Amino acid sequence: MTPTGTTTVIDDIGLLVTNDPEIGEGPLGVVRDASVVIADDTVESVGPRGQAADRRIDAGGACVLPGFVDSHTHLVFAGDRAEEFTSRMAGKPYDGGGIRVTTEATRAASDAQLRALTRSRLAEAHRAGTTTIEIKSGYGLSVDHEVRCLRIAAEHTSETTFLGAHLVPAELDGRADEYVDLVCGEMLDAAAPHARWIDAFCETGAFSAEQSRRVLEAGKAAGLGLRLHANQLGPGPGVLLAVEMGCASVDHCTHLDDDDIAALAGSDTVATFLPATDFSTRQPYPDARRALDAGVKIAIATNCNPGSSYTTSISFCVALAVRDMGLTIEEAIAAVTSGGASALRRADIGRLTPGAAGHAVVLDAPTYHDLAYRPGVPLIARTIGPLAD
Ligand code: NIG
């Protein structure tokens, strides 16, 4: 982070993505041979190479992008589920039931252990180019444990999401409505001061549309913004519910029908795709091409969690989106920068333009195409700016 009062220039940028078509070429607003001056973590100017500042970061002719915005993670958890992954690769389908396994491990971890695990995943995400991250609770599933997870998340990001309605905990098995009462009452009262958003897992086997609606309505009444997990494991009512409720984002959207796409296209709800999840659970990839062509606003995020998507790599998600979801590389880059910002209803991140946050990624590559063209290669040379905000 730049100390207050000093300016930093990222100089000798071969190819700069600003995400502002008024500043540069094409939808990504690309500028060649550029430099960016940052003052107090805010972009002061975008200009040709050689702008002056107190401190200089040499991009060495490489490509520079806005820092990645990872708008969907479940980063606060303990334990792993490598065995579940292995049996999935041998043919066992994913059904979300492992959430209880992670809940048990998370409840058993001390505060210090949970903090250390979260910190190390955050450091990994930052090294991978993420400068803003959303973190959900959802592996506590009791009043005290949900609040503990949110408190730990809030030590690192203002984008915290209360996901008490992730799954009914084992001790209330078969009593989903009773658990929803708890989520909408005592748990929400305790969680709301530590959360910006509320979310629910609207899916067969998790929560019904009616139960999810109750959770969203209660969250809205408590002043939280709305997001929803929907249409992950099969078609369902979640996308239409998210649009009707004015959610900022509906996440997964692996199964979208014509009505879902029409509703999303006529709304401000962002469809957030999580391709690393479809990869790790052997689900089909969503038809993102069709959604984009219909005018749906999209984002792409990692969904980092120990069950369905244990990765912090936005680059990996970009490669999947281009290879398997029919997006152009430009559309995929937009989805992990300005798209992620829209999914969080943020105008200050996801672009490198005067007044925006000075969060940037310097690639070890001349162009952003390499993020899809050279999958699995660590191409993030440097991440500039906070992950914590
Ligand atoms: O987004 N879908 C619900 N929650 C996570 C998975 C959590 C888990 O399996 O632990 C997801 O995929």
Side-chain angles (χ1 to χ4, degrees):
M1 188 180 299
T2 309
T4 308
T6 64
T7 55
T8 300
V9 62
I10 313 172
D11 201 3
D12 198 13
I13 301 172
L15 198 74
L16 172 69
V17 172
T18 65
N19 274 341
D20 185 347
E22 293 192 358
I23 293 185
E25 292 163 35
L28 294 183
V30 168
V31 184
R32 285 162 212 283
D33 300 323
S35 65
V36 176
V37 176
I38 298 166
D40 294 333
D41 293 312
T42 302
V43 175
E44 195 173 78
S45 62
V46 173
R49 288 180 205 237
Q51 293 185 92
D54 302 323
R55 201 174 140 239
R56 182 173 183 275
I57 295 172
D58 191 342
C63 177
V64 172
L65 305 146
F68 300 142
V69 179
D70 192 349
S71 61
H72 184 135
T73 81
H74 303 250
L75 227 63
V76 184
F77 63 86
D80 72 42
R81 297 193 350 237
E83 276 178 26
E84 178 189 314
F85 176 78
T86 304
S87 54
R88 201 154 60 233
M89 293 305 105
K92 192 165 181 249
Y94 174 82
D95 66 1
I99 292 169
R100 283 186 179 168
V101 174
T102 301
T103 299
E104 208 181 315
T106 304
R107 287 178 177 178
S110 69
D111 288 4
Q113 285 167 332
L114 214 44
R115 274 206 175 86
L117 289 165
T118 303
R119 241 188 263 118
S120 117
R121 291 176 197 125
L122 283 162
E124 183 182 282
H126 194 252
R127 283 195 301 276
T130 295
T131 52
T132 302
I133 201 159
E134 180 267 6
I135 304 178
K136 300 175 199 305
S137 63
Y139 292 120
L141 308 186
S142 71
V143 175
D144 289 350
H145 285 290
E146 280 295 300
V147 169
R148 179 168 80 128
C149 291
L150 282 168
R151 276 184 192 279
I152 290 173
E155 289 166 8
H156 302 282
T157 183
S158 54
E159 301 297 346
T160 51
T161 301
F162 169 46
L163 180 60
H166 198 189
L167 203 69
V168 177
E171 64 273 16
L172 288 176
D173 198 24
R175 290 149 69 192
D177 283 326
E178 202 180 311
Y179 181 62
V180 171
D181 289 344
L182 176 68
V183 169
C184 296
E186 188 190 343
M187 200 184 284
L188 175 61
D189 289 345
H194 311 288
R196 178 175 181 218
W197 304 97
I198 191 162
D199 194 346
F201 185 15
C202 182
E203 196 85 34
T204 305
F207 296 95
S208 68
E210 295 66 35
Q211 291 162 339
S212 302
R213 178 193 294 279
R214 281 186 60 207
V215 171
L216 294 179
E217 280 173 350
K220 189 173 179 187
L224 302 183
L226 310 184
R227 339 182 55 77
L228 193 64
H229 282 65
N231 299 49
Q232 173 182 1
L233 304 175
V239 169
L240 294 182
L241 173 66
V243 170
E244 183 203 324
M245 293 291 300
C247 288
S249 178
V250 57
D251 298 31
H252 284 284
C253 298
T254 301
H255 300 269
L256 292 176
D257 65 19
D258 291 350
D259 289 346
D260 296 327
I261 290 189
L264 284 165
S267 80
D268 283 334
T269 301
V270 173
T272 299
F273 297 118
L274 308 169
T277 312
D278 305 309
F279 173 89
S280 292
T281 57
R282 290 201 199 276
Q283 286 272 302
Y285 289 95
D287 195 348
R289 178 75 271 142
R290 191 160 151 244
L292 258 185
D293 289 345
V296 175
K297 297 167 195 64
I298 71 157
I300 290 175
T302 64
N303 187 25
C304 181
N305 76 79
S308 66
S309 182
Y310 200 175
T311 181
T312 52
S313 175
I314 286 280
S315 302
F316 175 56
C317 298
V318 166
L320 291 178
V322 172
R323 165 67 175 75
D324 291 320
M325 285 164 52
L327 297 192
T328 66
I329 180 70
E330 285 78 12
E331 288 164 343
I333 294 295
V336 297
T337 53
S338 53
S342 299
L344 295 174
R345 297 267 201 261
R346 295 271 298 266
D348 59 322
I349 53 174
R351 61 197 173 93
L352 283 171
T353 58
H359 303 170
V361 177
V362 182
L363 295 187
D364 186 6
T367 157
Y368 52 79
H369 289 258
D370 288 35
L371 291 174
Y373 173 48
R374 306 189 64 210
V377 177
L379 293 176
I380 309 302
R382 181 165 186 165
T383 307
I384 297 166
L387 192 144
D389 54 4

